[in-house]
Structures are given as structure tokens and as C-alpha cells.
Amino acid sequence: DQPIESEVEGDLRFDLTMGSAIGALAANMITAPDGSEPTAVIEPLTVVDPIYPYDLLLKGEKGSATVAFVVGTNGSPTNIRVVAASEQEFGVALSAAIEMSTFSPPVVNGHSVPVELVRRAEFLPAASGADSGQDPVARLLAALRAGQVGNGSWLDKGLVPRYQVAPRYPDVLQKGSRPAGDTVIEFVVDRDGRARLPQIFTCSEPAFGWAAATAVSQWVFDAPRRNGRSADVRARIPIQFKVPTD
């Protein structure tokens, strides 16, 4: 009845979709509004995962969301709206992820036309128990609860970004007065340099916070180090949104 170390081995198989855009859409739970394959020829170029709303993640609350949107002739999602969500935050998180995604211009009968799509997402809590050690989010949550994640002041050197993507101006604010604004996002850079667990610290508009948090979730840094060893670190960054010029 004593815990011991044990080696395990698993086989993974990677299958190509043979150039099928339908395969890529289906893999990301994107369909026509009725759940069927889209009639337009369209390919997802960048599909962003929704962030897990921080408070719901801490509670271990699972859920789902369905969001409808229109891909315009330039390949950008517009008219994004929540169709269903077990919690409002799940719908908002998925909407922000769709806004950061890009597609090839949809084509029907040789002509580029707007097309309506629907994306669904499942939000499942971080693993617990025996599987938590293999889940980086579960490991970070445990470290945060234990007070083991400090700020950058005790690192060997400051955080060095390797990959960053800027947030997009929220579609929901494009339809109104289109204000400028700002937000502050708090997140954790894990020992591998991945930005994780983004949460909105302050924001002038909630839409700015969700857009910025979704962008930050994709950032990568050089692995943080303390005394020469990799470490997890809290970070906080202000992000400003300017009024769109187009």
C-alpha cells in the first residue's frame, strides 16, 4: 500500500485531414447553424481556445457555451452572439476567442460571400487527484493555493517575451460609440514560459478585459528562473485600446 514510481508508455497517432477544411472545422466544434457541414468552402487559419473564467475555474465548475458568428468576405468574424451558455462567463469567453480567430474568405460557387457559423465549447475543470501532476493548470492552482507562486521581484532577471499577440478591438463595441479604454490583466507565467490563468484585474469596459485576457493566454516567455532553477511567477500588465481608425 505504499506509493511507488512507475514508468508508463502511451502511443499517440496523428492523422492528416487530407486538406479537408471540414475536418479542421469539425475538430474545433465549428459547424453551420443547424449543426451540419458548412456549404461554403472555408478554412480556419487561426483558432483560439477560450480562456476558462478564473472564478469558475477555482470553483471547479464545468460548463458549455454555443456562439454564432458571421465570417465576412475578409475572413474575420463579426456579428458574434451567444446562443447558449451554462454560465454567462463561458459564453463571453468563447465569444472573445472567436473574435481572435481568423478564416479564409468563404466561397460559394466561386464567389466570396459572408457565411454564418456556430462554435461550441466545453469547459472542464483541471484534473485532480492522481492526474493532477500531469495537468499544468492543476499544478499551478495547487501552487497558488499553497502560496508558492511569487512575483517577478525575486527572479534572476525580468520576464522576456518570446511570442506576443495583440488583442483585437471588441466587436461588441464597434457597433456603438467605439470608446478608447484600458484594462489590467493578471496571469501566471509557468516554469515553461507559458502564460496561464489570465484574469481581469481592472477594466474600463468588460469587453476590453476579455479581449486582452484572451490575447495574453497565447503569450510565451523565456522560462522564468530563480537561483538558476525554473519557477512559476505572477505577472500583471496594463493594456490600452485605441479608437479604431477604420
Side-chain angles (χ1 to χ4, degrees):
D1 295 327
Q2 298 298 316
I4 62 171
E5 291 186 358
S6 176
E7 282 194 4
V8 296
E9 183 177 292
D11 293 324
L12 300 178
R13 178 180 177 132
F14 296 86
D15 291 323
L16 296 175
T17 60
M18 302 303 291
S20 169
I22 299 301
L25 289 171
N28 289 283
M29 301 178 70
I30 301 173
T31 67
D34 62 359
S36 64
E37 298 177 355
T39 55
V41 177
I42 181 172
E43 180 179 356
L45 303 180
T46 304
V47 179
V48 176
D49 291 329
I51 63 172
Y52 209 123
Y54 190 75
D55 290 340
L56 297 179
L57 178 62
L58 288 181
K59 294 177 183 176
E61 188 166 338
K62 64 181 180 180
S64 62
T66 301
V67 172
F69 59 101
V70 174
V71 178
T73 55
N74 62 353
S76 297
T78 59
N79 298 329
I80 301 168
R81 63 191 187 281
V82 177
V83 175
S86 57
E87 292 286 347
Q88 180 182 4
E89 291 88 347
F90 289 142
V92 178
L94 180 56
S95 297
I98 290 172
E99 196 149 18
M100 290 287 295
S101 302
T102 58
F103 299 80
S104 64
V107 175
V108 175
N109 296 326
H111 300 283
S112 181
V113 296
V115 62
E116 186 173 16
L117 298 175
V118 166
R119 182 177 175 189
R120 299 169 178 82
E122 298 288 335
F123 295 81
L124 301 176
S128 59
D131 296 328
S132 61
Q134 303 299 320
D135 187 329
V137 173
R139 184 189 65 78
L140 280 179
L141 288 174
L144 286 167
R145 292 187 177 109
Q148 298 172 347
V149 182
N151 58 39
S153 62
W154 46 264
L155 292 178
D156 295 346
K157 65 176 183 178
L159 291 171
V160 179
R162 297 181 59 187
Y163 173 79
Q164 290 180 300
V165 57
R168 295 182 182 174
Y169 192 91
D171 180 70
V172 67
L173 299 179
Q174 291 274 15
K175 303 176 178 66
S177 59
R178 304 208 299 179
D182 57 75
T183 182
V184 175
I185 303 300
E186 187 170 277
F187 59 104
V188 175
V189 180
D190 72 9
R191 59 192 181 191
D192 297 319
R194 293 290 305 274
R196 299 188 185 275
L197 304 178
Q199 57 177 308
I200 303 168
F201 186 71
T202 63
C203 63
S204 59
E205 291 277 356
F208 289 145
W210 287 99
T214 302
V216 168
S217 70
Q218 302 172 68
W219 291 4
V220 181
F221 297 80
D222 284 347
R225 292 189 175 276
R226 180 187 184 190
N227 298 327
R229 302 180 63 180
S230 58
D232 306 309
V233 60
R234 285 180 181 269
R236 189 179 292 173
I237 186 168
I239 296 177
Q240 293 185 335
F241 288 81
K242 296 181 179 180
V243 178
T245 57
D246 54 349

